[in-house]
PDB file of all heavy atoms in Angstrom:
ATOM      1  N   GLU A  33      62.956  34.551 100.327  1.00 89.00           N
ATOM      2  CA  GLU A  33      62.969  35.417 101.518  1.00 89.00           C
ATOM      3  C   GLU A  33      61.968  36.559 101.369  1.00 89.00           C
ATOM      4  O   GLU A  33      61.247  36.891 102.302  1.00 89.00           O
ATOM      5  CB  GLU A  33      64.376  35.966 101.770  1.00 89.00           C
ATOM      6  CG  GLU A  33      65.429  34.889 102.028  1.00 89.00           C
ATOM      7  CD  GLU A  33      65.191  34.109 103.326  1.00 89.00           C
ATOM      8  OE1 GLU A  33      64.612  34.673 104.265  1.00 89.00           O
ATOM      9  OE2 GLU A  33      65.576  32.918 103.391  1.00 89.00           O
ATOM     10  N   ASN A  37      58.667  37.056 103.658  1.00 91.00           N
ATOM     11  CA  ASN A  37      58.447  38.295 104.418  1.00 91.00           C
ATOM     12  C   ASN A  37      57.084  38.898 104.094  1.00 91.00           C
ATOM     13  O   ASN A  37      56.382  39.388 104.966  1.00 91.00           O
ATOM     14  CB  ASN A  37      59.527  39.336 104.090  1.00 91.00           C
ATOM     15  CG  ASN A  37      60.836  39.035 104.801  1.00 91.00           C
ATOM     16  OD1 ASN A  37      60.908  38.177 105.675  1.00 91.00           O
ATOM     17  ND2 ASN A  37      61.897  39.725 104.402  1.00 91.00           N
ATOM     18  N   ALA A  38      56.727  38.853 102.818  1.00 95.00           N
ATOM     19  CA  ALA A  38      55.419  39.375 102.399  1.00 95.00           C
ATOM     20  C   ALA A  38      54.301  38.570 103.067  1.00 95.00           C
ATOM     21  O   ALA A  38      53.345  39.144 103.596  1.00 95.00           O
ATOM     22  CB  ALA A  38      55.281  39.332 100.878  1.00 95.00           C
ATOM     23  N   ASP A  40      54.494  36.885 105.836  1.00 90.00           N
ATOM     24  CA  ASP A  40      54.497  37.234 107.272  1.00 90.00           C
ATOM     25  C   ASP A  40      53.740  38.540 107.502  1.00 90.00           C
ATOM     26  O   ASP A  40      52.983  38.684 108.467  1.00 90.00           O
ATOM     27  CB  ASP A  40      55.930  37.415 107.799  1.00 90.00           C
ATOM     28  CG  ASP A  40      56.694  36.109 107.887  1.00 90.00           C
ATOM     29  OD1 ASP A  40      56.063  35.041 107.793  1.00 90.00           O
ATOM     30  OD2 ASP A  40      57.933  36.160 108.029  1.00 90.00           O
ATOM     31  N   ALA A  41      53.995  39.515 106.624  1.00 94.00           N
ATOM     32  CA  ALA A  41      53.357  40.825 106.762  1.00 94.00           C
ATOM     33  C   ALA A  41      51.849  40.726 106.572  1.00 94.00           C
ATOM     34  O   ALA A  41      51.065  41.406 107.243  1.00 94.00           O
ATOM     35  CB  ALA A  41      53.955  41.812 105.767  1.00 94.00           C
ATOM     36  N   LYS A  44      50.405  39.270 109.705  1.00 91.00           N
ATOM     37  CA  LYS A  44      50.339  40.282 110.777  1.00 91.00           C
ATOM     38  C   LYS A  44      49.142  41.193 110.587  1.00 91.00           C
ATOM     39  O   LYS A  44      48.443  41.514 111.536  1.00 91.00           O
ATOM     40  CB  LYS A  44      51.619  41.127 110.806  1.00 91.00           C
ATOM     41  CG  LYS A  44      52.728  40.494 111.611  1.00 91.00           C
ATOM     42  CD  LYS A  44      53.947  41.422 111.660  1.00 91.00           C
ATOM     43  CE  LYS A  44      55.229  40.592 111.697  1.00 91.00           C
ATOM     44  NZ  LYS A  44      56.406  41.312 111.251  1.00 91.00           N
ATOM     45  N   ASP A  79      53.253  43.580  98.436  1.00 98.00           N
ATOM     46  CA  ASP A  79      52.226  42.932  99.268  1.00 98.00           C
ATOM     47  C   ASP A  79      51.347  44.009  99.891  1.00 98.00           C
ATOM     48  O   ASP A  79      51.753  45.161 100.000  1.00 98.00           O
ATOM     49  CB  ASP A  79      52.872  42.076 100.371  1.00 98.00           C
ATOM     50  CG  ASP A  79      53.644  42.893 101.381  1.00 98.00           C
ATOM     51  OD1 ASP A  79      53.013  43.602 102.193  1.00 98.00           O
ATOM     52  OD2 ASP A  79      54.894  42.841 101.375  1.00 98.00           O
ATOM     53  N   ILE A  82      51.061  44.341 106.539  1.00 97.00           N
ATOM     54  CA  ILE A  82      51.031  45.325 107.616  1.00 97.00           C
ATOM     55  C   ILE A  82      51.804  46.617 107.278  1.00 97.00           C
ATOM     56  O   ILE A  82      51.463  47.708 107.717  1.00 97.00           O
ATOM     57  CB  ILE A  82      51.571  44.702 108.936  1.00 97.00           C
ATOM     58  CG1 ILE A  82      51.374  45.632 110.127  1.00 97.00           C
ATOM     59  CG2 ILE A  82      53.032  44.312 108.828  1.00 97.00           C
ATOM     60  CD1 ILE A  82      49.921  45.795 110.514  1.00 97.00           C
ATOM     61  N   GLY A  83      52.874  46.499 106.443  1.00 97.00           N
ATOM     62  CA  GLY A  83      53.664  47.677 106.106  1.00 97.00           C
ATOM     63  C   GLY A  83      54.593  48.103 107.231  1.00 97.00           C
ATOM     64  O   GLY A  83      54.610  47.495 108.297  1.00 97.00           O
ATOM     65  N   MET A  84      55.404  49.130 106.978  1.00 97.00           N
ATOM     66  CA  MET A  84      56.368  49.581 107.979  1.00 97.00           C
ATOM     67  C   MET A  84      56.318  51.108 108.092  1.00 97.00           C
ATOM     68  O   MET A  84      56.175  51.800 107.083  1.00 97.00           O
ATOM     69  CB  MET A  84      57.781  49.165 107.582  1.00 97.00           C
ATOM     70  CG  MET A  84      58.065  47.679 107.725  1.00 97.00           C
ATOM     71  SD  MET A  84      59.701  47.190 107.100  1.00 97.00           S
ATOM     72  CE  MET A  84      59.336  46.877 105.398  1.00 97.00           C
ATOM     73  N   CYS A  92      64.082  47.379 111.379  1.00 88.00           N
ATOM     74  CA  CYS A  92      64.050  46.086 110.685  1.00 88.00           C
ATOM     75  C   CYS A  92      65.036  46.010 109.534  1.00 88.00           C
ATOM     76  O   CYS A  92      65.607  44.974 109.262  1.00 88.00           O
ATOM     77  CB  CYS A  92      62.662  45.806 110.113  1.00 88.00           C
ATOM     78  SG  CYS A  92      61.394  45.819 111.365  1.00 88.00           S
ATOM     79  N   LEU A  93      65.223  47.134 108.841  1.00 90.00           N
ATOM     80  CA  LEU A  93      66.098  47.073 107.659  1.00 90.00           C
ATOM     81  C   LEU A  93      67.362  47.902 107.863  1.00 90.00           C
ATOM     82  O   LEU A  93      67.943  48.405 106.914  1.00 90.00           O
ATOM     83  CB  LEU A  93      65.341  47.583 106.423  1.00 90.00           C
ATOM     84  CG  LEU A  93      64.007  46.888 106.113  1.00 90.00           C
ATOM     85  CD1 LEU A  93      63.441  47.395 104.799  1.00 90.00           C
ATOM     86  CD2 LEU A  93      64.181  45.372 106.047  1.00 90.00           C
ATOM     87  N   ARG A  98      67.407  39.686 114.373  1.00 59.00           N
ATOM     88  CA  ARG A  98      67.101  38.257 114.297  1.00 59.00           C
ATOM     89  C   ARG A  98      68.241  37.428 114.860  1.00 59.00           C
ATOM     90  O   ARG A  98      69.402  37.652 114.535  1.00 59.00           O
ATOM     91  CB  ARG A  98      66.867  37.834 112.850  1.00 59.00           C
ATOM     92  CG  ARG A  98      65.800  38.607 112.156  1.00 59.00           C
ATOM     93  CD  ARG A  98      65.942  38.422 110.672  1.00 59.00           C
ATOM     94  NE  ARG A  98      65.810  37.012 110.301  1.00 59.00           N
ATOM     95  CZ  ARG A  98      66.615  36.411 109.473  1.00 59.00           C
ATOM     96  NH1 ARG A  98      67.618  37.028 108.938  1.00 59.00           N
ATOM     97  NH2 ARG A  98      66.407  35.162 109.167  1.00 59.00           N
ATOM     98  N   VAL A 124      69.931  34.796 105.188  1.00 70.00           N
ATOM     99  CA  VAL A 124      70.103  36.113 105.766  1.00 70.00           C
ATOM    100  C   VAL A 124      68.908  36.991 105.515  1.00 70.00           C
ATOM    101  O   VAL A 124      69.007  38.201 105.549  1.00 70.00           O
ATOM    102  CB  VAL A 124      71.373  36.774 105.230  1.00 70.00           C
ATOM    103  CG1 VAL A 124      72.586  36.220 105.933  1.00 70.00           C
ATOM    104  CG2 VAL A 124      71.511  36.553 103.755  1.00 70.00           C
ATOM    105  N   GLY A 125      67.768  36.377 105.301  1.00 83.00           N
ATOM    106  CA  GLY A 125      66.537  37.159 105.190  1.00 83.00           C
ATOM    107  C   GLY A 125      66.613  38.250 104.156  1.00 83.00           C
ATOM    108  O   GLY A 125      67.150  38.030 103.062  1.00 83.00           O
ATOM    109  N   PHE A 126      66.083  39.390 104.507  1.00 91.00           N
ATOM    110  CA  PHE A 126      65.972  40.495 103.573  1.00 91.00           C
ATOM    111  C   PHE A 126      67.317  40.832 102.892  1.00 91.00           C
ATOM    112  O   PHE A 126      67.353  41.119 101.691  1.00 91.00           O
ATOM    113  CB  PHE A 126      65.440  41.729 104.310  1.00 91.00           C
ATOM    114  CG  PHE A 126      65.427  42.967 103.476  1.00 91.00           C
ATOM    115  CD1 PHE A 126      64.421  43.171 102.529  1.00 91.00           C
ATOM    116  CD2 PHE A 126      66.423  43.924 103.604  1.00 91.00           C
ATOM    117  CE1 PHE A 126      64.416  44.308 101.741  1.00 91.00           C
ATOM    118  CE2 PHE A 126      66.426  45.061 102.820  1.00 91.00           C
ATOM    119  CZ  PHE A 126      65.421  45.259 101.882  1.00 91.00           C
ATOM    120  N   TYR A 127      68.390  40.816 103.683  1.00 89.00           N
ATOM    121  CA  TYR A 127      69.667  41.269 103.132  1.00 89.00           C
ATOM    122  C   TYR A 127      70.171  40.421 101.961  1.00 89.00           C
ATOM    123  O   TYR A 127      71.042  40.842 101.206  1.00 89.00           O
ATOM    124  CB  TYR A 127      70.727  41.340 104.234  1.00 89.00           C
ATOM    125  CG  TYR A 127      70.322  42.298 105.345  1.00 89.00           C
ATOM    126  CD1 TYR A 127      70.020  41.824 106.614  1.00 89.00           C
ATOM    127  CD2 TYR A 127      70.227  43.656 105.094  1.00 89.00           C
ATOM    128  CE1 TYR A 127      69.620  42.688 107.616  1.00 89.00           C
ATOM    129  CE2 TYR A 127      69.828  44.536 106.109  1.00 89.00           C
ATOM    130  CZ  TYR A 127      69.515  44.041 107.361  1.00 89.00           C
ATOM    131  OH  TYR A 127      69.118  44.902 108.347  1.00 89.00           O
ATOM    132  N   THR A 171      53.655  47.013 101.242  1.00 98.00           N
ATOM    133  CA  THR A 171      55.076  47.218 100.953  1.00 98.00           C
ATOM    134  C   THR A 171      55.388  46.817  99.525  1.00 98.00           C
ATOM    135  O   THR A 171      54.946  45.765  99.057  1.00 98.00           O
ATOM    136  CB  THR A 171      55.931  46.369 101.914  1.00 98.00           C
ATOM    137  OG1 THR A 171      55.592  46.740 103.250  1.00 98.00           O
ATOM    138  CG2 THR A 171      57.416  46.581 101.699  1.00 98.00           C
ATOM    139  N   ILE A 173      58.638  46.360  97.037  1.00 98.00           N
ATOM    140  CA  ILE A 173      60.105  46.293  97.025  1.00 98.00           C
ATOM    141  C   ILE A 173      60.588  46.183  95.583  1.00 98.00           C
ATOM    142  O   ILE A 173      60.163  45.282  94.854  1.00 98.00           O
ATOM    143  CB  ILE A 173      60.597  45.090  97.858  1.00 98.00           C
ATOM    144  CG1 ILE A 173      60.120  45.282  99.307  1.00 98.00           C
ATOM    145  CG2 ILE A 173      62.111  44.962  97.807  1.00 98.00           C
ATOM    146  CD1 ILE A 173      60.531  44.193 100.249  1.00 98.00           C
TER     147      ILE A 173
HETATM  148  P1  LIG B   1      62.822  37.896 109.437  1.00 92.60           P
HETATM  149  O1  LIG B   1      61.812  37.713 108.364  1.00 92.60           O
HETATM  150  O2  LIG B   1      63.427  36.597 109.867  1.00 92.60           O
HETATM  151  O3  LIG B   1      62.327  38.696 110.605  1.00 92.60           O
HETATM  152  P2  LIG B   1      64.150  39.491 107.453  1.00 92.60           P
HETATM  153  O4  LIG B   1      65.551  39.978 107.311  1.00 92.60           O
HETATM  154  O5  LIG B   1      63.658  38.630 106.351  1.00 92.60           O
HETATM  155  O6  LIG B   1      64.045  38.737 108.840  1.00 92.60           O
HETATM  156  O7  LIG B   1      63.196  40.730 107.627  1.00 92.60           O
HETATM  157  C1  LIG B   1      63.454  41.669 108.649  1.00 92.60           C
HETATM  158  C2  LIG B   1      62.217  42.368 109.119  1.00 92.60           C
HETATM  159  O8  LIG B   1      61.830  43.383 108.172  1.00 92.60           O
HETATM  160  C3  LIG B   1      60.977  41.518 109.273  1.00 92.60           C
HETATM  161  O9  LIG B   1      60.962  40.873 110.541  1.00 92.60           O
HETATM  162  C4  LIG B   1      59.867  42.548 109.165  1.00 92.60           C
HETATM  163  O10 LIG B   1      59.669  43.210 110.411  1.00 92.60           O
HETATM  164  C5  LIG B   1      60.438  43.564 108.201  1.00 92.60           C
HETATM  165  N1  LIG B   1      59.934  43.298 106.848  1.00 92.60           N
HETATM  166  C6  LIG B   1      60.592  42.748 105.812  1.00 92.60           C
HETATM  167  N2  LIG B   1      59.820  42.665 104.716  1.00 92.60           N
HETATM  168  C7  LIG B   1      58.626  43.166 105.072  1.00 92.60           C
HETATM  169  C8  LIG B   1      57.365  43.370 104.362  1.00 92.60           C
HETATM  170  N3  LIG B   1      57.213  42.996 103.087  1.00 92.60           N
HETATM  171  N4  LIG B   1      56.352  43.953 105.044  1.00 92.60           N
HETATM  172  C9  LIG B   1      56.500  44.308 106.334  1.00 92.60           C
HETATM  173  N5  LIG B   1      57.631  44.148 107.038  1.00 92.60           N
HETATM  174  C10 LIG B   1      58.694  43.585 106.423  1.00 92.60           C
END
Side-chain angles (χ1 to χ4, degrees):
E33 299 295 331
N37 283 349
D40 290 346
K44 274 183 213 158
D79 66 71
I82 188 70
M84 287 175 272
C92 302
L93 305 185
R98 303 163 61 225
V124 281
F126 174 79
Y127 300 112
T171 302
I173 299 181

